[in-house]
Amino acid sequence: MGLDFSVVPGFLDTILLGGLWTIAVTVASALLSFFGGILLAVIALYAPLVIRLPFRFFAWLFMGTPLLLQLFLIYFGLVELGIDLPAFVAGVIGLGLHFAVYSSELIQTAIVAVDKGQMEAARTLGLSRGQSLRRIVIPQAVRDVIPPIGNNMIALLKDSALVSVIGVSELTLSSQLAIGRTYRPFEFYATAAVRYYFINLGMEAVLRRIERKTALSR
Amino acid sequence: MSDPHKFLEIRHAQKAYGQLEVLKDISMTVDRGEIVAIIGPSGSGKSTLLRAINDLDPLTSGEVILDGVQVNKDLPHRQYEKHINQMRQQVGMVFQHFNLFPHLSVRDNVTLAPKMLKGISDAEADKLAEQQLAHVGMSERIDYYPSQLSGGQKQRVAIARALAMNPKLMLFDEATSALDPELVEDVNLVMKRLAEEDMTMVIVTHEMDFAASVCDRVLFMDGGVVVEEGPPDVIFKNPTQERTRAFLSKHLSNVQK
């Protein structure tokens, strides 16, 4: 029996909705990981030891254990502590924090690499250390890490498939639902792959735009 | 109390990095409106002394007093930060490598600090930027980014940025050393105009011509001490110290001897 893609259009709603959920999970997690990454980088570089140490442990936890396990822990584990998060929220927190740790490493390196003269010039004008970091040093560091962070975001998009295991009916899970009804795994998984590919293209286009926009400011 | 005529006073400035003494008990004064050049070989401590004035390189011991207020006060960390930020708003500084903010337009480079620290409105900030940039002949570049400017243009914007805070003292740390020779004159002209406007300036420089033509007084430093000081005519034409003569013989070749 050959492949039959004619079953796919019947599930157009499911397919579109799944794609939208994947985009929603990815965008929300990307934002969390970006701002979380900046915050973690600043803590790692400038916070006193009593704050820095627990965060270092947290970073180690998120880098050293599987994302799948982290999602289980946040979604199923926290219920025992009375924290019952919706699957979408649990998924975004898991993905977002996981990638925040990776982004934070990149941003730390970039902050340290910003020319010392920048901080000096800002302090000389009378800006405080915090103001100088916020307005002068961190914006330049963030600008410098856009390309590698972009790569992380594409990894994030692909890893967003993992939130299917805690019941977010994103692209992968919605494909599985359709397969359950039609027994056509190839057709629906192939369709899913194509959709990931196009979302990927969209993300790359956005990244290129941002890179072009910041080109002058180097 | 400090003599009311002494606008800037440095008392017994000493700076050491471990065993290495960079400044050895330097005392000097600058009057209001006076233009003082600090010259000397590399490593003589002249930049360190300049950077001690706004406490960018804190002294190991000694006092810097600006307009009757001690700059490097011994205060608890938080109070000190507040105090030094206040003091630095009154002291403009221009660096050898410009240190413009590359992620901000020329306009925003000039207005960032006044907006953040003086709470001026966007309209006032725009006016301030236009005014300050006109002053240094950079009006047409107001919406450019630093990466689109030549070195001389960058330095003129950096001067406008410092002046936008309306400082009562300007420090120049080898402001023209990193410039191509043909661009030096533009920056020197801006500094000369500032001098005519009675800005108080302390200028670390390698350019003896400029020091001779603009400054009221020249300090020659070597090995962490002020070897000799006086009016440019005396220092450049009749120095009394052997070390000054030796230094000038190497650096004055292109000036009136």
Side-chain angles (χ1 to χ4, degrees), chain A residues 39-68:
Chain A
L39 187 68
L40 289 177
V42 171
I43 289 171
L45 288 175
Y46 302 108
L49 202 65
V50 279
I51 299 172
R52 210 160 65 220
L53 274 185
F55 273 94
R56 195 182 295 166
F57 174 74
F58 164 85
W60 169 83
L61 201 71
F62 270 83
M63 285 184 111
T65 60
L67 177 55
L68 188 63

Short mmCIF file of all heavy atoms in Angstrom, two decimals, chain A residues 39-68:
data_model
loop_
_atom_site.label_atom_id
_atom_site.label_comp_id
_atom_site.label_asym_id
_atom_site.label_seq_id
_atom_site.Cartn_x
_atom_site.Cartn_y
_atom_site.Cartn_z
N LEU A 39 19.48 38.23 32.90
CA LEU A 39 19.43 38.31 34.37
C LEU A 39 20.44 37.35 35.00
O LEU A 39 21.22 37.73 35.89
CB LEU A 39 18.01 37.98 34.84
CG LEU A 39 17.74 38.19 36.32
CD1 LEU A 39 17.77 39.68 36.66
CD2 LEU A 39 16.39 37.60 36.71
N LEU A 40 20.46 36.11 34.50
CA LEU A 40 21.39 35.12 35.05
C LEU A 40 22.84 35.55 34.82
O LEU A 40 23.70 35.36 35.69
CB LEU A 40 21.16 33.75 34.41
CG LEU A 40 19.87 33.03 34.81
CD1 LEU A 40 19.73 31.72 34.03
CD2 LEU A 40 19.85 32.76 36.31
N ALA A 41 23.11 36.16 33.66
CA ALA A 41 24.48 36.59 33.37
C ALA A 41 24.91 37.69 34.34
O ALA A 41 26.03 37.67 34.86
CB ALA A 41 24.57 37.10 31.93
N VAL A 42 24.00 38.65 34.59
CA VAL A 42 24.33 39.74 35.51
C VAL A 42 24.55 39.19 36.92
O VAL A 42 25.49 39.57 37.62
CB VAL A 42 23.21 40.81 35.50
CG1 VAL A 42 23.43 41.83 36.61
CG2 VAL A 42 23.19 41.52 34.15
N ILE A 43 23.69 38.25 37.34
CA ILE A 43 23.86 37.63 38.66
C ILE A 43 25.21 36.91 38.73
O ILE A 43 25.98 37.08 39.68
CB ILE A 43 22.70 36.66 38.97
CG1 ILE A 43 21.42 37.47 39.21
CG2 ILE A 43 23.02 35.77 40.16
CD1 ILE A 43 20.17 36.64 39.31
N ALA A 44 25.51 36.13 37.70
CA ALA A 44 26.75 35.34 37.71
C ALA A 44 27.97 36.25 37.79
O ALA A 44 28.97 35.90 38.41
CB ALA A 44 26.82 34.46 36.47
N LEU A 45 27.89 37.43 37.17
CA LEU A 45 29.07 38.31 37.12
C LEU A 45 29.15 39.28 38.30
O LEU A 45 30.24 39.60 38.76
CB LEU A 45 29.07 39.12 35.82
CG LEU A 45 29.38 38.36 34.54
CD1 LEU A 45 29.22 39.28 33.34
CD2 LEU A 45 30.78 37.78 34.57
N TYR A 46 28.00 39.74 38.80
CA TYR A 46 28.06 40.88 39.71
C TYR A 46 27.42 40.65 41.08
O TYR A 46 27.64 41.45 41.98
CB TYR A 46 27.42 42.11 39.05
CG TYR A 46 28.08 42.47 37.75
CD1 TYR A 46 27.43 42.26 36.53
CD2 TYR A 46 29.36 43.00 37.72
CE1 TYR A 46 28.04 42.57 35.33
CE2 TYR A 46 29.98 43.32 36.53
CZ TYR A 46 29.32 43.10 35.34
OH TYR A 46 29.93 43.41 34.16
N ALA A 47 26.60 39.60 41.24
CA ALA A 47 25.90 39.44 42.51
C ALA A 47 26.86 38.95 43.58
O ALA A 47 27.86 38.30 43.28
CB ALA A 47 24.74 38.47 42.35
N PRO A 48 26.57 39.26 44.86
CA PRO A 48 27.40 38.72 45.94
C PRO A 48 27.31 37.20 46.00
O PRO A 48 26.34 36.61 45.51
CB PRO A 48 26.82 39.36 47.20
CG PRO A 48 25.49 39.89 46.80
CD PRO A 48 25.52 40.16 45.35
N LEU A 49 28.31 36.60 46.62
CA LEU A 49 28.45 35.15 46.61
C LEU A 49 27.20 34.42 47.10
O LEU A 49 26.81 33.39 46.54
CB LEU A 49 29.66 34.77 47.48
CG LEU A 49 30.28 33.41 47.18
CD1 LEU A 49 30.87 33.38 45.80
CD2 LEU A 49 31.33 33.07 48.24
N VAL A 50 26.55 34.96 48.14
CA VAL A 50 25.38 34.26 48.71
C VAL A 50 24.26 34.12 47.70
O VAL A 50 23.44 33.20 47.78
CB VAL A 50 24.83 34.98 49.95
CG1 VAL A 50 25.64 34.64 51.17
CG2 VAL A 50 24.73 36.49 49.73
N ILE A 51 24.19 35.04 46.76
CA ILE A 51 23.16 34.94 45.71
C ILE A 51 23.71 34.13 44.54
O ILE A 51 23.01 33.32 43.94
CB ILE A 51 22.74 36.35 45.24
CG1 ILE A 51 22.15 37.13 46.42
CG2 ILE A 51 21.74 36.27 44.09
CD1 ILE A 51 21.87 38.60 46.11
N ARG A 52 25.00 34.35 44.25
CA ARG A 52 25.61 33.72 43.08
C ARG A 52 25.64 32.21 43.19
O ARG A 52 25.36 31.51 42.22
CB ARG A 52 27.03 34.28 42.93
CG ARG A 52 27.51 34.33 41.51
CD ARG A 52 28.67 35.30 41.39
NE ARG A 52 29.81 34.84 42.15
CZ ARG A 52 30.60 35.64 42.87
NH1 ARG A 52 30.36 36.92 42.92
NH2 ARG A 52 31.61 35.15 43.54
N LEU A 53 25.96 31.72 44.39
CA LEU A 53 26.13 30.27 44.55
C LEU A 53 24.86 29.47 44.27
O LEU A 53 24.89 28.51 43.49
CB LEU A 53 26.68 29.94 45.94
CG LEU A 53 28.21 29.99 46.05
CD1 LEU A 53 28.65 29.54 47.43
CD2 LEU A 53 28.88 29.14 44.98
N PRO A 54 23.72 29.85 44.89
CA PRO A 54 22.49 29.10 44.58
C PRO A 54 22.17 29.13 43.08
O PRO A 54 21.71 28.13 42.52
CB PRO A 54 21.40 29.83 45.37
CG PRO A 54 22.08 30.72 46.31
CD PRO A 54 23.50 30.88 45.91
N PHE A 55 22.46 30.27 42.45
CA PHE A 55 22.16 30.36 41.02
C PHE A 55 23.11 29.49 40.19
O PHE A 55 22.71 28.96 39.17
CB PHE A 55 22.21 31.83 40.55
CG PHE A 55 20.91 32.54 40.73
CD1 PHE A 55 20.66 33.27 41.89
CD2 PHE A 55 19.91 32.44 39.78
CE1 PHE A 55 19.44 33.90 42.07
CE2 PHE A 55 18.69 33.08 39.95
CZ PHE A 55 18.46 33.81 41.11
N ARG A 56 24.33 29.37 40.69
CA ARG A 56 25.26 28.51 39.96
C ARG A 56 24.78 27.05 40.04
O ARG A 56 24.86 26.30 39.08
CB ARG A 56 26.67 28.65 40.53
CG ARG A 56 27.70 28.07 39.59
CD ARG A 56 29.09 28.18 40.16
NE ARG A 56 29.54 29.55 40.30
CZ ARG A 56 30.61 29.91 41.02
NH1 ARG A 56 31.32 29.00 41.65
NH2 ARG A 56 30.97 31.17 41.10
N PHE A 57 24.27 26.67 41.23
CA PHE A 57 23.73 25.33 41.40
C PHE A 57 22.55 25.12 40.45
O PHE A 57 22.44 24.10 39.77
CB PHE A 57 23.28 25.13 42.86
CG PHE A 57 22.58 23.83 43.09
CD1 PHE A 57 23.30 22.63 43.12
CD2 PHE A 57 21.20 23.79 43.26
CE1 PHE A 57 22.65 21.42 43.32
CE2 PHE A 57 20.55 22.58 43.46
CZ PHE A 57 21.27 21.40 43.49
N PHE A 58 21.69 26.13 40.38
CA PHE A 58 20.53 26.09 39.49
C PHE A 58 20.98 25.92 38.03
O PHE A 58 20.43 25.11 37.28
CB PHE A 58 19.76 27.41 39.69
CG PHE A 58 18.77 27.73 38.62
CD1 PHE A 58 17.49 27.20 38.66
CD2 PHE A 58 19.10 28.61 37.58
CE1 PHE A 58 16.56 27.52 37.68
CE2 PHE A 58 18.18 28.92 36.60
CZ PHE A 58 16.91 28.37 36.65
N ALA A 59 22.01 26.67 37.64
CA ALA A 59 22.51 26.58 36.27
C ALA A 59 23.06 25.19 35.99
O ALA A 59 22.79 24.58 34.95
CB ALA A 59 23.61 27.63 36.04
N TRP A 60 23.78 24.65 36.97
CA TRP A 60 24.34 23.31 36.82
C TRP A 60 23.22 22.29 36.65
O TRP A 60 23.29 21.39 35.83
CB TRP A 60 25.20 22.98 38.06
CG TRP A 60 25.61 21.56 38.12
CD1 TRP A 60 26.67 20.98 37.47
CD2 TRP A 60 24.95 20.52 38.83
NE1 TRP A 60 26.70 19.64 37.74
CE2 TRP A 60 25.67 19.32 38.57
CE3 TRP A 60 23.82 20.49 39.66
CZ2 TRP A 60 25.29 18.10 39.12
CZ3 TRP A 60 23.45 19.27 40.20
CH2 TRP A 60 24.17 18.09 39.94
N LEU A 61 22.15 22.47 37.45
CA LEU A 61 21.01 21.55 37.40
C LEU A 61 20.38 21.55 36.00
O LEU A 61 20.06 20.50 35.44
CB LEU A 61 19.98 22.03 38.42
CG LEU A 61 18.95 21.02 38.91
CD1 LEU A 61 19.63 20.00 39.80
CD2 LEU A 61 17.86 21.75 39.70
N PHE A 62 20.24 22.76 35.43
CA PHE A 62 19.58 22.84 34.13
C PHE A 62 20.48 22.42 32.98
O PHE A 62 20.00 21.98 31.94
CB PHE A 62 19.05 24.26 33.90
CG PHE A 62 17.65 24.44 34.41
CD1 PHE A 62 17.42 24.73 35.75
CD2 PHE A 62 16.56 24.27 33.56
CE1 PHE A 62 16.13 24.86 36.22
CE2 PHE A 62 15.27 24.41 34.03
CZ PHE A 62 15.04 24.70 35.37
N MET A 63 21.79 22.57 33.16
CA MET A 63 22.69 22.16 32.08
C MET A 63 23.03 20.68 32.17
O MET A 63 23.33 20.04 31.17
CB MET A 63 24.00 22.97 32.13
CG MET A 63 23.85 24.37 31.65
SD MET A 63 25.45 25.20 31.65
CE MET A 63 25.73 25.36 29.90
N GLY A 64 22.98 20.13 33.39
CA GLY A 64 23.50 18.79 33.60
C GLY A 64 22.45 17.70 33.59
O GLY A 64 22.79 16.51 33.73
N THR A 65 21.18 18.07 33.45
CA THR A 65 20.14 17.04 33.45
C THR A 65 19.31 17.15 32.17
O THR A 65 19.27 18.22 31.56
CB THR A 65 19.20 17.19 34.67
OG1 THR A 65 18.60 18.48 34.61
CG2 THR A 65 19.97 17.05 35.98
N PRO A 66 18.65 16.04 31.75
CA PRO A 66 17.89 16.09 30.49
C PRO A 66 16.69 17.04 30.59
O PRO A 66 16.03 17.11 31.63
CB PRO A 66 17.40 14.66 30.31
CG PRO A 66 18.20 13.84 31.24
CD PRO A 66 18.62 14.72 32.36
N LEU A 67 16.45 17.78 29.50
CA LEU A 67 15.30 18.68 29.43
C LEU A 67 13.99 17.92 29.68
O LEU A 67 13.09 18.41 30.35
CB LEU A 67 15.29 19.37 28.06
CG LEU A 67 14.14 20.30 27.74
CD1 LEU A 67 13.99 21.39 28.80
CD2 LEU A 67 14.35 20.95 26.38
N LEU A 68 13.93 16.69 29.15
CA LEU A 68 12.72 15.88 29.32
C LEU A 68 12.41 15.68 30.80
O LEU A 68 11.27 15.84 31.25
CB LEU A 68 12.92 14.53 28.63
CG LEU A 68 11.69 13.62 28.55
CD1 LEU A 68 10.58 14.28 27.72
CD2 LEU A 68 12.06 12.26 27.94
#
